[in-house]
Amino acid sequence: MRSQTLPACSRCHQDQLLSVANMPKTDAYGRRIQLELCKVCDTDKPAAAASTNFLTTAGGHDLSRAEEASQLMIKWTREGMAAYVWYWEDPPPPQPVLHRRGRAAQTPPW
Ligand SMILES: [Zn+2]
């Protein structure tokens, strides 16, 4: 959502939301999880506070810091989803490639 169209925060009911993210998961009641990033309510959450700081300072308008913004949003999303006992599963590390010693690589029979 664009900041001009954000609703009031559902927790403090003030117009202090910086971002809202609709998650592809539901809560224990079957409602779609909607994460809110609020300048007032999220100061005690490390990733949310870092995102708030970024967005309320020059970082939020500096395109050269887009990668930093992306990483902060991912951390905020992980932190927010953890409150609903959802977590992001990291992909498995790359598997080692086996090579046969002393022979050139062979073309598979298919
Ligand atoms: Zn709030």
Side-chain angles (χ1 to χ4, degrees):
M1 284 187 198
R2 305 180 86 191
S3 61
Q4 296 86 357
T5 61
L6 290 175
C9 174
S10 66
R11 293 165 284 169
C12 68
H13 307 289
Q14 298 180 53
D15 292 326
Q16 297 295 322
L17 289 184
L18 294 169
S19 184
V20 175
N22 292 309
M23 304 309 294
K25 298 293 180 187
T26 57
D27 65 14
Y29 302 101
R31 299 173 300 204
R32 182 171 293 267
I33 295 171
Q34 188 175 57
L35 300 180
E36 296 178 332
L37 181 61
C38 177
K39 288 187 272 187
V40 175
C41 298
D42 296 321
T43 57
D44 61 338
K45 299 172 188 165
S51 296
T52 297
N53 184 53
F54 180 85
L55 293 172
T56 57
T57 61
H61 301 285
D62 186 349
L63 290 178
S64 69
R65 297 174 69 185
E67 178 60 28
E68 182 182 358
S70 174
Q71 293 302 315
L72 286 168
M73 292 295 107
I74 290 170
K75 289 178 182 175
W76 166 61
T77 303
R78 285 177 181 249
E79 184 177 73
M81 290 304 286
Y84 292 94
V85 198
W86 284 102
Y87 67 94
W88 292 54
E89 185 173 350
D90 292 324
Q95 298 298 310
V97 177
L98 297 176
H99 296 279
R100 195 176 282 188
R101 290 181 187 244
R103 287 186 165 183
Q106 296 179 355
T107 304
W110 58 88

